[in-house]
Amino acid sequence: MKLKSIGILVVAIVMSISSFAQKEKMTREDKDEKNAARETRINKKNDIVLFRKQMMGLPEYAKEKKKIPALQKNNKGAVKVAAAIDSNENDDDAKTFIGYIRQDVGDNSTNMYEVIFDRAVRKIVSVKLTPEGADANKDEMDEKEDNVKEKQPGVKKVSPKKNKDEDDDDDAPEDKPLKTKQKDDD
């Protein structure tokens, strides 16, 4: 029994040694190539994170976030504003990234703004309102105007303006000094 277990152990050790012996060592050039590829992947991820943070700091993003409560009232659904980055995983040498400030209303997703990030400068280069974003803003403005017209069917009555002299005469009695009991007692 001991002989069988020793034999199995020897066979296993010989097999593992042969598998380790077949692995070739990497040359210095291969190691440098592998490290350079790793660094480019890390730099790309860092640029994407920086781009997303800068997009969330834009005033346009804040403006879209402020619209959420009104949109939720009108649509009775989930409304979300997000920063989306359009990047190709295979294109590590891209000089710019394109991102969108996206508004999701229920199942409808609208790219409100197109944002371009320059990787060399590491800053946002341009922010443009997309045509579909302009249409969405126009629709929102039309809805607001309709709501205002519904709330104000008539014209407000304007009270006639008074002269300053008349205004002073109509002061409330609070402005007059109050008599106290001490003066009455004297």
Side-chain angles (χ1 to χ4, degrees):
M1 186 71 177
K2 285 185 177 182
L3 203 51
K4 279 186 179 180
S5 61
I6 292 174
I8 293 174
L9 182 63
V10 170
V11 170
I13 291 174
V14 170
M15 297 275 286
S16 64
I17 290 174
S18 65
S19 66
F20 284 122
Q22 292 195 7
K23 189 173 182 181
E24 294 180 23
K25 285 191 169 187
M26 293 178 71
T27 63
R28 181 42 112 185
E29 295 161 353
D30 292 339
K31 287 181 182 179
D32 290 342
E33 220 173 86
K34 188 175 180 180
N35 286 337
R38 181 176 163 271
E39 285 179 19
T40 56
R41 283 193 312 270
I42 290 171
N43 288 338
K44 182 177 180 183
K45 284 183 182 180
N46 290 340
D47 287 344
I48 289 173
V49 169
L50 180 65
F51 183 27
R52 185 176 308 277
K53 284 182 181 179
Q54 287 182 4
M55 278 178 64
M56 289 182 174
L58 288 172
E60 289 84 358
Y61 185 81
K63 186 173 106 177
E64 293 299 321
K65 286 290 249 188
K66 288 180 183 177
K67 293 179 185 179
I68 290 176
L71 289 171
Q72 283 180 336
K73 283 182 183 178
N74 294 341
N75 298 314
K76 308 238 188 255
V79 177
K80 187 170 84 170
V81 173
I85 298 172
D86 185 20
S87 66
N88 187 358
E89 293 297 324
N90 298 330
D91 192 14
D92 291 333
D93 298 332
K95 292 178 177 60
T96 60
F97 288 137
I98 297 175
Y100 299 97
I101 297 175
R102 190 179 68 211
Q103 184 182 66
D104 298 328
V105 180
D107 292 337
N108 187 14
S109 182
T110 306
N111 291 333
M112 300 301 282
Y113 291 93
E114 181 182 66
V115 184
I116 298 175
F117 178 81
D118 188 5
R119 289 182 71 186
V121 183
R122 297 179 61 106
K123 288 186 180 179
I124 291 176
V125 177
S126 81
V127 179
K128 297 177 193 171
L129 184 65
T130 61
E132 62 183 335
D135 290 342
N137 285 341
K138 184 179 177 184
D139 293 341
E140 290 172 16
M141 295 304 248
D142 290 342
E143 287 177 13
K144 285 182 183 179
E145 288 175 6
D146 291 342
N147 290 338
V148 169
K149 288 179 183 177
E150 289 174 6
K151 290 180 182 177
Q152 293 181 339
V155 179
K156 288 185 177 180
K157 294 181 181 178
V158 178
S159 61
K161 293 184 179 179
K162 297 180 179 180
N163 293 338
K164 288 184 179 180
D165 297 334
E166 291 176 12
D167 191 49
D168 290 339
D169 294 337
D170 294 336
D171 285 342
E174 298 170 354
D175 294 342
K176 296 178 183 175
L178 298 173
K179 294 182 181 179
T180 60
K181 288 187 176 185
Q182 290 178 347
K183 290 183 181 178
D184 292 337
D185 292 337
D186 291 335

